[in-house]
Amino acid sequence: MPFRVLVANRGEIALRIIRACHEEGLEAIAVYSDADRLSPQVRAADHAVPIGPSPPSESYLRIDRLLEAARRTGASAVHPGYGFLAERAAFAQAVEDAGLVFVGPPARAIRAMGDKTEARRRMQAAGVPIVPGLTVPVTDPDAARRAAAELGFPVLVKAAAGGGGRGMRVVQAPEELAGALETAASEAGKAFGDPAVYLEKYIERPRHVEIQILADRERTVHLGERECSIQRRHQKLVEEAPSVALTPELRQRMGQAAVAAARAVDYRSAGTCEFLLAPDGSFYFLEMNTRIQVEHPVTELVYGVDLVREQLRIAQGLPMRVPATPLAPRGWALECRITSEDPAHGFLPSTGRIEYLRVPAGPGVRWDGGFEVGDEVGLHYDSLLGKVVVWGATREEAVRRMRRALEELVISGVATNQAFHLRLLADDAFLRGEFASQFLDRRPDLLAAQLSDDQMTALAVAAALAEDEARAIRKPVVGDEIAATRWRLAGLWDGLRG
Amino acid sequence: MPFRVLVANRGEIALRIIRACHEEGLEAIAVYSDADRLSPQVRAADHAVPIGPSPPSESYLRIDRLLEAARRTGASAVHPGYGFLAERAAFAQAVEDAGLVFVGPPARAIRAMGDKTEARRRMQAAGVPIVPGLTVPVTDPDAARRAAAELGFPVLVKAAAGGGGRGMRVVQAPEELAGALETAASEAGKAFGDPAVYLEKYIERPRHVEIQILADRERTVHLGERECSIQRRHQKLVEEAPSVALTPELRQRMGQAAVAAARAVDYRSAGTCEFLLAPDGSFYFLEMNTRIQVEHPVTELVYGVDLVREQLRIAQGLPMRVPATPLAPRGWALECRITSEDPAHGFLPSTGRIEYLRVPAGPGVRWDGGFEVGDEVGLHYDSLLGKVVVWGATREEAVRRMRRALEELVISGVATNQAFHLRLLADDAFLRGEFASQFLDRRPDLLAAQLSDDQMTALAVAAALAEDEARAIRKPVVGDEIAATRWRLAGLWDGLRG
Amino acid sequence: MKYFVTIGGREIPVEVKGDRVTVAGREYQAHLAPVPGTPLRQLLLGDRSLTVAMQSGGRGAWRLESRGLRLDLEVVDERTRHIRDLAGPGAGRTGGGQVRSPMPGLVVRLLVEPGETVEAGAGLVVLEAMKMENELRAHGPGRVTAVLVAPGQAVEKGQPLVELAPLST
Amino acid sequence: MKYFVTIGGREIPVEVKGDRVTVAGREYQAHLAPVPGTPLRQLLLGDRSLTVAMQSGGRGAWRLESRGLRLDLEVVDERTRHIRDLAGPGAGRTGGGQVRSPMPGLVVRLLVEPGETVEAGAGLVVLEAMKMENELRAHGPGRVTAVLVAPGQAVEKGQPLVELAPLST
């Protein structure tokens, strides 16, 4: 019986997984909500099954419907992608209980890492360095204030479940603590169904560095780091591999810590250990993301390993194809996330139908997209439209190539953050690699649209010529002709009457 | 003064060069014929200059107009691409005489390699193995017959100038010789302005293997081989690197022969030595292409070197960035040429406007295209629309990825050879790497369209549903409404009269 | 409504009833949705997914493009098919012994003269297009009854070049 | 014809005469060509090349997209501009002290009440969209004269949420 994979996701990651299935010679089954009838995942898959209305709570988050779709199509395995149910132990468990393979870690590993407080305890026990903080959730403002005073401000309020910046608040002073606890708990409750939050020491000006892990039955290996410091409101915007901040020796130490973390929970498949890297070179385990990451392509480009295909192999009980000799990154890779967020309006979500799309191509450019011409970009789902990923022999070459690629990209019909990326890539501090996680907070200038005089002149001429032409060709159109005919007819009637 | 590059070409290679310019931080100037006003090269370049009517003889082959465009825009250098004037020594000379840099070899190297007969003599002198044959052009059928008898049939009649299959004929028996001489000379005269042809021994079942060369002022290095055996009428369709037929030792020997060939003519920039590789492992220098090749991307993918960017560096007098240590290919790369040729009609050229284009993307896929939605594909120029290039860790992975990529590609508005490539990539002999240059001549089955019962059923349903829907919504359209109004008006007149 | 779809020389009956179709003896739920702003339509046949570029030629003629294959299909309903059957086989065919230009191009050389007898595969006309010379050959043996073009002449796609009569044996 | 193009708060006069335009004191040959089947137009201004997605909003309003920048331009001729000048500055502006929703979303919390005085940057309304809470802030100091929405209410893009009056100092 062929190994068939149901892809329980949408957008670019669903397409990414379907591509990997096809390259592994496996059939792919897409699921789709009402809004996604024509989506790229439906078009790319061999089979497609409807799973309900557009709100995620009625489709992509419905374990029962996903399992029913798997049963109906004879799926052997389920790949959760990222987001949605990817890090819900209950989903992995339900898939296992249905006799199917979950393409990811075992439910118990997700459970162990999913409770951040519990995970911190385990990591401490396994000898992985962690950020000083509470190892139990906190709700009482007074208790929180005492703990914060002990840790020393600033402190971070953080959701026990989940990640991605939601349910996270930096608190600079005691009087802000109560409000932050409330907001974070509210967001966490909504996003993850669990309002538990905890407190930890806030490391100032850290870099956000994460280590990629891959584990099969026999081996657990790391595939180096990704630098994810360019974030806005804790949402990553630009990622790269390797990081300018890591020496081969530090890479080796952080890699070993990540491998130890994964082994501590009997990890399988692809996963990522997030670390804060302080300016003094000390690093702290933050959490493990028990799924494939949005930014996994930068690792793939510098290590020559296809992480999603390896996930599929591991899920089939096959050994991963990663050589046993220690790997070193080759060249440099960058990823820019293209989102339907309008930097001209405070990065607020933009909606609309994609009227035209021209994806960047040519040497060293990879486009992982999740939409096509004709697709509606709505508010039900994440704003990530696609990822431009480039490889270059050096960081400088990769940056130049990314700039070229971003200049080629044309998305018409919805506002995006494309121009922001172009500004960032021209920024001296970014080019020198001198940035930390709060880089964008200190650089609001990068968020504002910039237009040179030359550009402005050219655009003004384009508009004037277009208007001039529109006026010249504004002739009686068909509708007018009908009206004119009717008018003559009416005149005729009048004549008859008169 | 900034280094500005005029790109004296069109199509995918023009876009490729413009991309390289931008990644090197150089301005690019496009030229365009009347037919190419909206072409990708115009859209991608910083500046664009018209150079005349659509026929190449009145635009892309007009040295005077190209130099005038360079002068007008303040260009520092001219990149000729491939085809058109790329291998005309007179063009390189004219560029040099105008005080500009020719992005390619010196005119004298082009001249030395351009005359195939002369080149064979030089190569023989430099110790590079060559195919037995005449070293002077032949016109007299009797002389040709005597020479052919000495070499032994089959023999090859070949244009002294040019390449790419034009002016080339295989002759199996003496009585075919006179006709072949005439046709080859006629084609050669038309294609290259020089009807001279010569004769050589025809190597049966050879592989067509070529070695990439890169030379700056200091060094001449080779970047391994490309296998180009999948050809139709001497036009390459699929290329790969490395070749299944080469061991590291043979690669080293062929590479050294190619380096010797380049050094014998004081070569600079990128160039390619073509060899015939016989089944017994012996190899023969055929010719040197003194330009960037269509298939250069497969080398770039396995060596991590950007050949066009290195050309631009060498043209600026900078050293190439290729490490001095001997390089080895990493993984496997494949290229499929997508042409506007209809395999269902004997690969005859197809024309039309591109209505829709969806390029392949995702991991390991590179698309080097030369057209966009809205472009007209006409008969003035080469039928190459674009190239799908993939990288995989092994040949098998590369082939699977290529199949996935070709299934993603959608070009609507013009017939292409895309389906042929998909058939080829599913063929057992191709998958085993068992093929030689005449592979397609012996496999006409690969040229015919194939459709499974399942596909046929699905397409029939699609057509029936579309027809059913079209009938349901066929309502009076605006034109009918006007007619109806006029008809009523006419009836009214009749009523008035009656 | 029952339709008869001709594809690649085969006729496939397809019955359409709302969102259900019956084809090859099986009934499926089927849904064909146009992708806005493109020539594409997305077909779900049961849970099978297929995206096809479609262009209507009118009167039941459809051009489909799928994975690089370009196919011309014809869809007729039962009544039209019945009328055609009455008109007899071969009705509507044109062009019998004419060899037509498969593309726009330039006539380089004529390889035959009127009255000449040719064998299957014999070269008739050399046409130049896209910088290549292409030899057009006879599909079967015949006698040349007319040569309709001259060297140097530009020809359109579909333009008759040579007329052949079958050999009377 | 002379046009006045407003772009990013600046007004740029452009004179168009056939294929020649005069802008910023220089005359160029210019050609704007639509790319068939796309919203793109290709501009050659002298030998400078630029491709822009353009959409007409009617009455001289144009939306341009270039390298990811989305810009709303207005093109008026001399006569129209003259009439506007006569109507006086600010004519035609709307929405003065209204804070509008910049996107469709759900009102999560109100942070102000009518009568309250706020400083520049003060939070007014928390809106949820795309799984993120977004706080809308006051652009300048003012007094809240009306709150037009309630928590839990779904709002459209552009819908007024809060009315502010300038502080009378």
Side-chain angles (χ1 to χ4, degrees):
Chain A
M1 193 167 133
F3 199 79
R4 294 176 128 184
V5 181
L6 182 128
V7 182
N9 215 302
R10 66 176 304 284
E12 70 89 18
I13 193 62
L15 185 57
R16 169 74 185 89
I17 297 164
I18 292 168
R19 283 169 165 158
C21 288
H22 288 162
E23 292 182 5
E24 285 295 310
L26 310 177
E27 279 193 16
I29 304 155
V31 294
Y32 63 95
S33 71
D34 290 349
D36 284 341
R37 166 67 183 84
L38 293 172
S39 62
Q41 84 251 26
V42 172
R43 299 194 216 174
D46 306 290
H47 303 268
V49 185
I51 48 161
S54 306
S57 57
E58 298 178 49
S59 47
Y60 298 105
L61 291 172
R62 285 288 295 263
I63 296 179
D64 55 341
R65 293 197 180 147
L66 292 166
L67 289 180
E68 169 55 22
R71 195 198 54 73
R72 194 177 125 188
T73 51
S76 336
V78 175
H79 196 306
Y82 54 69
F84 294 131
L85 298 168
E87 292 183 272
R88 294 255 188 105
F91 182 51
Q93 192 64 58
V95 169
E96 290 169 20
D97 292 348
L100 304 173
V101 179
F102 184 75
V103 185
R108 54 181 157 66
I110 300 177
R111 212 172 284 122
M113 285 298 189
D115 182 335
K116 310 284 155 173
T117 323
E118 170 61 21
R120 284 159 54 83
R121 266 199 299 267
R122 279 198 187 226
M123 291 307 112
Q124 217 165 4
V128 179
I130 63 167
V131 177
L134 294 184
T135 49
V136 289
V138 63
T139 45
D140 176 47
D142 286 330
R145 232 185 312 267
R146 279 192 303 275
E150 230 170 82
L151 291 168
F153 282 91
V155 295
L156 189 67
V157 182
K158 216 171 155 189
R166 271 166 272 149
M168 206 183 264
R169 287 290 180 283
V170 179
V171 182
Q172 298 287 350
E175 58 273 25
E176 298 169 10
L177 194 57
L181 280 176
E182 194 186 324
T183 322
S186 151
E187 270 188 36
K190 231 170 271 160
F192 315 111
D194 176 6
V197 295
Y198 66 101
L199 271 191
E200 63 183 30
K201 171 78 187 148
Y202 183 63
I203 310 286
E204 286 194 275
R205 302 183 66 101
R207 284 174 181 264
H208 181 115
V209 173
E210 57 189 31
I211 303 285
Q212 176 69 49
I213 285 297
L214 203 53
D216 63 13
R217 286 180 192 169
E218 307 290 329
R219 293 189 296 152
T220 301
V221 300
H222 76 89
L223 292 167
E225 78 281 10
R226 291 185 291 260
E227 158 88 58
C228 310
S229 298
I230 302 292
Q231 307 189 352
R232 196 191 147 270
R233 296 176 67 174
H234 299 284
Q235 294 284 4
K236 296 168 189 169
L237 287 169
V238 178
E239 297 99 347
E240 53 187 295
S243 163
V244 290
L246 263 67
T247 58
E249 185 271 330
L250 181 55
R251 177 173 303 122
Q252 192 50 28
R253 279 200 293 131
M254 291 181 76
Q256 278 163 357
V259 167
R263 284 200 179 123
V265 297
D266 258 331
Y267 202 82
R268 288 287 145 74
S269 196
T272 298
C273 291
E274 297 197 9
F275 292 94
L276 287 184
L277 176 61
D280 65 0
S282 63
F283 59 91
Y284 308 94
F285 175 88
L286 277 183
E287 61 184 34
M288 183 168 191
N289 298 310
T290 55
R291 52 167 158 87
I292 192 78
Q293 303 265 109
V294 176
E295 61 271 26
H296 73 274
V298 292
T299 298
E300 296 186 325
L301 290 184
V302 293
Y303 280 90
V305 170
D306 188 313
L307 291 168
V308 181
R309 287 174 68 174
E310 293 308 322
Q311 281 192 304
L312 292 169
R313 279 181 66 87
I314 294 166
Q316 293 172 79
L318 301 168
M320 54 176 151
R321 278 169 299 205
V322 180
T325 52
L327 290 172
R330 176 168 131 151
W332 212 277
L334 269 181
E335 171 178 285
C336 287
R337 300 191 187 190
I338 307 298
T339 64
S340 55
E341 294 175 323
D342 190 354
H345 295 95
F347 277 86
L348 289 175
S350 165
T351 60
R353 168 169 290 158
I354 304 299
E355 309 278 354
Y356 179 77
L357 171 65
R358 193 232 182 174
V359 305
V365 175
R366 168 172 166 183
W367 168 253
D368 272 26
F371 68 101
E372 298 281 346
V373 172
D375 283 346
E376 281 286 349
V377 176
L379 288 173
H380 287 300
Y381 312 114
D382 192 84
S383 62
L384 182 65
L385 294 175
K387 306 176 308 202
V388 183
V389 200
V390 301
W391 181 89
T394 62
R395 185 168 189 269
E396 190 199 347
E397 282 188 44
V399 169
R400 282 179 169 191
R401 181 162 274 167
M402 179 62 91
R403 229 184 284 155
R404 190 272 289 171
L406 287 170
E407 282 172 0
E408 285 184 13
L409 174 65
V410 183
I411 301 173
S412 191
V414 66
T416 74
N417 64 352
Q418 180 184 351
F420 155 76
H421 283 299
L422 276 166
R423 288 192 295 272
L424 176 70
L425 294 174
D427 183 73
D428 277 341
F430 178 80
L431 295 183
R432 288 193 307 266
E434 291 168 2
F435 49 80
S437 293
Q438 303 100 324
F439 180 67
L440 289 185
D441 297 340
R442 287 189 300 273
R443 295 295 308 277
D445 58 307
L446 290 173
L447 304 182
Q450 289 158 10
L451 213 53
S452 72
D453 280 3
D454 262 15
Q455 276 178 300
M456 223 181 261
T457 304
L459 293 173
V461 169
L465 288 172
E467 178 68 17
D468 194 61
E469 190 192 86
R471 290 179 181 208
I473 62 166
R474 218 172 273 153
K475 283 181 189 152
V477 291
V478 173
D480 291 342
E481 197 181 341
I482 298 172
T485 311
R486 286 200 178 129
W487 180 85
R488 285 194 295 275
L489 188 62
L492 194 59
W493 276 110
D494 285 348
L496 287 177
R497 281 196 209 107
Chain B
M1 194 167 130
F3 199 80
R4 296 176 127 184
V5 181
L6 182 129
V7 182
N9 215 304
R10 66 176 305 284
E12 68 90 17
I13 193 62
L15 185 56
R16 169 74 184 90
I17 297 163
I18 292 168
R19 283 169 165 157
C21 288
H22 287 162
E23 292 181 6
E24 285 295 310
L26 310 177
E27 281 193 14
I29 303 154
V31 294
Y32 64 95
S33 71
D34 290 349
D36 284 341
R37 167 66 184 84
L38 293 172
S39 62
Q41 84 251 26
V42 171
R43 299 195 217 173
D46 306 288
H47 303 268
V49 184
I51 48 160
S54 306
S57 57
E58 298 178 51
S59 48
Y60 297 104
L61 292 172
R62 285 286 295 263
I63 296 178
D64 54 341
R65 293 196 179 147
L66 292 166
L67 291 180
E68 168 56 23
R71 195 198 55 73
R72 195 176 125 188
T73 52
S76 337
V78 175
H79 196 308
Y82 54 69
F84 293 132
L85 298 167
E87 292 182 273
R88 294 256 188 104
F91 182 49
Q93 192 65 59
V95 169
E96 291 168 21
D97 292 348
L100 304 173
V101 179
F102 184 76
V103 185
R108 57 184 156 64
I110 300 177
R111 212 172 286 124
M113 285 297 189
D115 182 334
K116 310 283 154 173
T117 323
E118 170 62 21
R120 284 158 54 82
R121 263 198 302 266
R122 278 198 188 226
M123 292 307 110
Q124 218 165 4
V128 180
I130 63 167
V131 178
L134 295 183
T135 48
V136 289
V138 63
T139 46
D140 175 46
D142 287 330
R145 232 186 311 268
R146 278 191 303 275
E150 233 170 81
L151 292 168
F153 284 91
V155 296
L156 189 67
V157 182
K158 216 171 155 188
R166 272 167 271 149
M168 206 185 264
R169 286 289 180 285
V170 179
V171 181
Q172 298 287 348
E175 59 272 24
E176 297 169 9
L177 193 57
L181 281 176
E182 194 184 326
T183 321
S186 150
E187 271 189 36
K190 230 170 273 158
F192 316 111
D194 176 5
V197 296
Y198 66 102
L199 272 191
E200 64 183 32
K201 172 75 187 149
Y202 183 63
I203 309 287
E204 287 195 275
R205 302 184 65 101
R207 285 173 181 266
H208 182 115
V209 173
E210 57 190 30
I211 303 284
Q212 177 68 50
I213 286 297
L214 204 53
D216 64 13
R217 286 178 193 171
E218 308 290 330
R219 295 189 296 152
T220 301
V221 301
H222 75 88
L223 292 167
E225 79 280 9
R226 291 185 290 260
E227 158 87 58
C228 311
S229 298
I230 302 292
Q231 308 190 352
R232 196 192 146 270
R233 296 177 68 176
H234 299 283
Q235 295 283 5
K236 297 168 190 167
L237 287 168
V238 178
E239 297 99 347
E240 52 187 294
S243 163
V244 291
L246 263 65
T247 58
E249 185 270 331
L250 182 54
R251 177 172 304 122
Q252 193 49 27
R253 280 200 293 130
M254 291 182 76
Q256 277 163 358
V259 167
R263 284 198 179 127
V265 296
D266 259 331
Y267 203 81
R268 288 286 145 73
S269 196
T272 299
C273 291
E274 298 198 9
F275 292 95
L276 287 183
L277 176 61
D280 66 0
S282 62
F283 59 90
Y284 307 94
F285 174 88
L286 277 182
E287 61 184 33
M288 182 166 191
N289 298 312
T290 55
R291 51 167 159 87
I292 192 79
Q293 302 266 107
V294 176
E295 61 272 26
H296 74 274
V298 293
T299 297
E300 296 185 327
L301 291 183
V302 293
Y303 281 90
V305 170
D306 189 313
L307 291 169
V308 180
R309 288 174 67 175
E310 293 308 322
Q311 282 192 304
L312 292 170
R313 281 180 65 86
I314 294 166
Q316 292 172 81
L318 300 168
M320 54 176 151
R321 278 169 297 205
V322 180
T325 53
L327 290 172
R330 175 167 132 153
W332 213 277
L334 269 181
E335 170 179 285
C336 286
R337 299 191 188 191
I338 306 298
T339 64
S340 54
E341 294 175 323
D342 190 355
H345 295 96
F347 276 87
L348 289 175
S350 165
T351 60
R353 168 169 290 160
I354 304 300
E355 309 278 354
Y356 179 76
L357 171 65
R358 194 234 182 174
V359 305
V365 175
R366 167 171 167 183
W367 169 253
D368 271 27
F371 68 100
E372 298 282 345
V373 172
D375 283 346
E376 281 285 347
V377 176
L379 288 172
H380 287 298
Y381 312 115
D382 192 85
S383 61
L384 182 65
L385 295 175
K387 306 176 306 200
V388 184
V389 200
V390 301
W391 182 89
T394 63
R395 185 168 189 269
E396 190 199 346
E397 281 188 42
V399 169
R400 281 180 170 190
R401 181 161 275 167
M402 179 62 90
R403 230 184 283 154
R404 188 273 287 172
L406 287 170
E407 281 171 1
E408 285 184 13
L409 173 66
V410 183
I411 300 173
S412 191
V414 67
T416 75
N417 64 353
Q418 179 184 352
F420 154 77
H421 283 298
L422 276 165
R423 289 191 294 273
L424 176 71
L425 294 174
D427 183 72
D428 277 342
F430 177 80
L431 294 182
R432 288 193 307 268
E434 293 169 1
F435 48 81
S437 295
Q438 304 99 325
F439 181 68
L440 289 185
D441 297 340
R442 287 190 300 273
R443 295 294 308 278
D445 58 306
L446 289 173
L447 303 183
Q450 289 159 9
L451 213 53
S452 72
D453 280 4
D454 262 15
Q455 277 177 298
M456 222 180 263
T457 304
L459 293 173
V461 169
L465 287 172
E467 179 68 18
D468 194 60
E469 189 193 85
R471 289 180 181 207
I473 62 166
R474 215 172 275 152
K475 285 180 189 151
V477 291
V478 173
D480 291 344
E481 198 181 340
I482 298 172
T485 310
R486 288 204 177 123
W487 180 85
R488 285 193 296 274
L489 188 61
L492 194 58
W493 277 110
D494 286 347
L496 289 177
R497 279 196 210 106
Chain C
M1 176 72 87
K2 187 158 188 174
Y3 295 97
F4 295 85
V5 183
T6 306
I7 171 171
R10 267 176 60 181
E11 190 188 67
I12 300 176
V14 181
E15 182 144 18
V16 179
K17 268 188 202 159
D19 66 349
R20 312 216 46 99
V21 302
T22 306
V23 63
R26 279 191 59 184
E27 190 180 307
Y28 302 87
Q29 186 147 342
H31 186 235
L32 185 73
V35 179
T38 77
L40 304 179
R41 302 196 192 202
Q42 219 293 322
L43 173 70
L44 286 181
L45 181 61
D47 59 29
R48 246 187 95 198
S49 172
L50 184 73
T51 305
V52 194
M54 299 185 74
Q55 206 185 327
S56 168
R59 295 167 173 272
W62 290 89
R63 167 165 286 182
L64 272 61
E65 288 166 321
S66 168
R67 293 185 171 175
L69 273 187
R70 180 187 268 208
L71 298 156
D72 289 312
L73 283 72
E74 195 189 22
V75 187
V76 297
D77 57 30
E78 217 153 359
R79 198 174 134 264
T80 313
R81 182 164 170 267
H82 186 63
I83 294 169
R84 278 213 199 155
D85 282 352
L86 294 177
R93 279 205 205 142
T94 58
Q98 280 186 339
V99 176
R100 292 162 181 274
S101 176
M103 61 188 157
L106 195 76
V107 176
V108 179
R109 271 190 304 282
L110 295 171
L111 304 174
V112 292
E113 289 179 10
E116 206 172 305
T117 302
V118 295
E119 302 199 350
L124 303 173
V125 178
V126 178
L127 212 63
E128 187 181 296
M130 283 192 168
K131 307 183 300 181
M132 289 285 287
E133 298 198 351
N134 303 280
E135 198 173 271
L136 302 184
R137 292 152 191 270
H139 288 294
R143 198 171 48 81
V144 178
T145 53
V147 172
L148 307 164
V149 289
Q153 184 179 340
V155 295
E156 294 299 307
K157 181 174 174 173
Q159 183 169 338
L161 306 174
V162 169
E163 274 179 22
L164 290 177
L167 289 180
S168 43
T169 43
Chain D
M1 176 72 88
K2 187 158 190 174
Y3 295 99
F4 295 85
V5 184
T6 307
I7 171 172
R10 266 177 60 182
E11 189 187 66
I12 300 177
V14 181
E15 181 144 19
V16 179
K17 266 187 203 160
D19 64 350
R20 312 216 46 99
V21 302
T22 306
V23 64
R26 278 190 60 184
E27 191 181 305
Y28 302 88
Q29 187 148 341
H31 186 235
L32 185 74
V35 179
T38 76
L40 304 180
R41 301 196 192 202
Q42 219 293 321
L43 173 70
L44 287 180
L45 181 61
D47 58 28
R48 245 186 94 200
S49 172
L50 184 74
T51 305
V52 193
M54 298 185 75
Q55 208 186 325
S56 168
R59 296 167 174 270
W62 290 89
R63 167 164 286 182
L64 272 61
E65 288 166 321
S66 169
R67 294 185 170 174
L69 273 187
R70 180 186 267 207
L71 297 156
D72 290 312
L73 283 73
E74 195 189 24
V75 186
V76 298
D77 57 30
E78 216 152 359
R79 197 174 134 263
T80 312
R81 182 162 170 266
H82 185 63
I83 294 168
R84 279 215 196 151
D85 282 351
L86 293 178
R93 280 206 204 140
T94 58
Q98 281 186 341
V99 176
R100 293 161 180 275
S101 176
M103 61 187 160
L106 195 75
V107 176
V108 179
R109 270 190 304 282
L110 294 171
L111 304 175
V112 292
E113 290 179 11
E116 205 171 307
T117 301
V118 296
E119 302 200 351
L124 303 173
V125 179
V126 178
L127 214 61
E128 186 180 296
M130 283 192 168
K131 306 184 300 182
M132 290 284 287
E133 298 197 353
N134 304 280
E135 198 174 270
L136 302 185
R137 293 152 192 271
H139 288 296
R143 198 171 48 80
V144 179
T145 52
V147 172
L148 307 164
V149 290
Q153 184 178 339
V155 294
E156 295 298 307
K157 180 174 174 174
Q159 183 168 336
L161 306 174
V162 170
E163 273 178 21
L164 291 178
L167 288 181
S168 42
T169 42

